[in-house]
Amino acid sequence: ETMTNVEKEWAMTDIDLKTEELKADDLKKWYSVLSVALMRFHKCKMDQVNKHIKDYWRATYRGSDIDFIKIVSDTEEGGKLGKKSYNYRVVMKKGDSLIDMRGRCSSGQRVLASLVIRLALAEAFCEQCSVLALDEPTTNLDHENIDSFAQALGRLYKKRGSASQFQLIVISHDEGFMQGLARETGTDKYYRVFRNSQQCSEIREQDIAGL
């Protein structure tokens, strides 16, 4: 009785095995193609981000010790499937030399690099996003870099504002920066947050000219 239909059962089992082998082979091909596509996408986006970073840095930074900055990524492979992981670092270029920024730049340069990178990421990945918010962006920046950063934000506002209902939200105590940003963007109003006589926070629209 145990041998009844054994050939039929063996054939069905063999079909199941071959099917699983084909599925496993297809998955390996899919994974390989996907990995190549992700690598190409990563390189394309990194090139795009670094182009924006370079343009913003040169338009904003007023020092002569750094030509431009960029993000470089080192890859590591690990795990059973050989998954790649990326380690990112920011480097600065002067002449023919590339040097890590970590531990080799001033606090103002670090702040400016952070702002420039955020703007570049917004340009590369958030083309359809209509809001960019910055909180106290001029901390540790000197007056020249504050002015040039306001100009860079103004150019971004004009570029993005013409294509969509773009909103730039800036929280700042730097009135000089706000005046410069208002000139670049054509803004004549701002909102001041203050504490009223009842010690409650209040928001009031005011004229830029009153700064």
Side-chain angles (χ1 to χ4, degrees):
E1 294 180 1
T2 58
M3 301 300 291
T4 304
N5 297 325
V6 64
E7 291 186 358
K8 182 178 179 180
E9 291 179 3
W10 178 86
M12 294 299 297
T13 302
D14 186 55
I15 290 173
D16 291 340
L17 176 61
K18 296 297 184 183
T19 301
E20 292 299 321
E21 290 176 346
L22 289 172
K23 287 163 60 177
D25 186 58
D26 286 344
L27 285 173
K28 287 180 181 179
K29 291 178 181 178
W30 173 83
Y31 179 79
S32 177
V33 171
L34 180 61
S35 296
V36 172
L38 287 174
M39 288 290 291
R40 289 177 178 172
F41 177 78
H42 180 268
K43 182 182 183 305
C44 176
K45 280 301 181 182
M46 286 304 301
D47 290 344
Q48 188 178 355
V49 168
N50 279 324
K51 179 184 182 302
H52 291 312
I53 289 176
K54 184 177 181 180
D55 292 342
Y56 277 122
W57 184 266
R58 287 183 165 175
T60 306
Y61 186 59
R62 289 297 174 258
S64 59
D65 54 329
I66 303 175
D67 293 338
F68 62 89
I69 65 172
K70 64 183 292 188
I71 299 174
V72 297
S73 59
D74 305 314
T75 58
E76 294 181 357
E77 294 191 9
K80 295 181 180 180
L81 296 176
K83 292 183 178 179
K84 289 182 172 62
S85 61
Y86 297 92
N87 298 316
Y88 298 96
R89 54 196 174 91
V90 181
V91 299
M92 50 188 177
K93 183 174 176 60
K94 178 62 178 177
D96 296 327
S97 301
L98 279 177
I99 307 171
D100 281 352
M101 288 196 78
R102 182 184 292 273
R104 296 183 176 88
C105 61
S106 67
S107 58
Q109 289 170 335
R110 287 198 302 271
V111 170
L112 185 60
S114 173
L115 293 170
V116 164
I117 290 171
R118 276 188 277 175
L119 291 179
L121 290 172
E123 283 283 290
F125 291 99
C126 304
E127 292 182 358
Q128 303 304 318
C129 180
S130 60
V131 178
L132 175 63
L134 299 173
D135 185 6
E136 299 291 354
T138 58
T139 302
N140 293 323
L141 294 184
D142 58 30
H143 290 297
E144 288 186 353
N145 285 325
I146 288 174
D147 291 340
S148 56
F149 183 64
Q151 294 170 10
L153 279 179
R155 286 193 295 271
L156 174 64
Y157 177 83
K158 292 171 184 176
K159 177 181 178 182
R160 297 287 293 276
S162 62
S164 62
Q165 297 299 317
F166 179 67
Q167 297 183 51
L168 175 62
I169 302 172
V170 179
I171 302 170
S172 178
H173 289 86
D174 189 336
E175 294 184 353
F177 168 67
M178 297 305 296
Q179 289 173 334
L181 185 58
R183 286 194 300 269
E184 296 297 328
T185 59
T187 302
D188 57 2
K189 301 285 186 180
Y190 74 100
Y191 292 92
R192 181 183 290 275
V193 181
F194 63 96
R195 195 180 300 277
N196 61 25
S197 59
Q198 285 76 40
Q199 299 302 305
C200 296
S201 296
E202 188 173 329
I203 301 176
R204 184 174 297 171
E205 183 183 72
Q206 296 187 339
D207 292 330
I208 285 287
L211 286 175

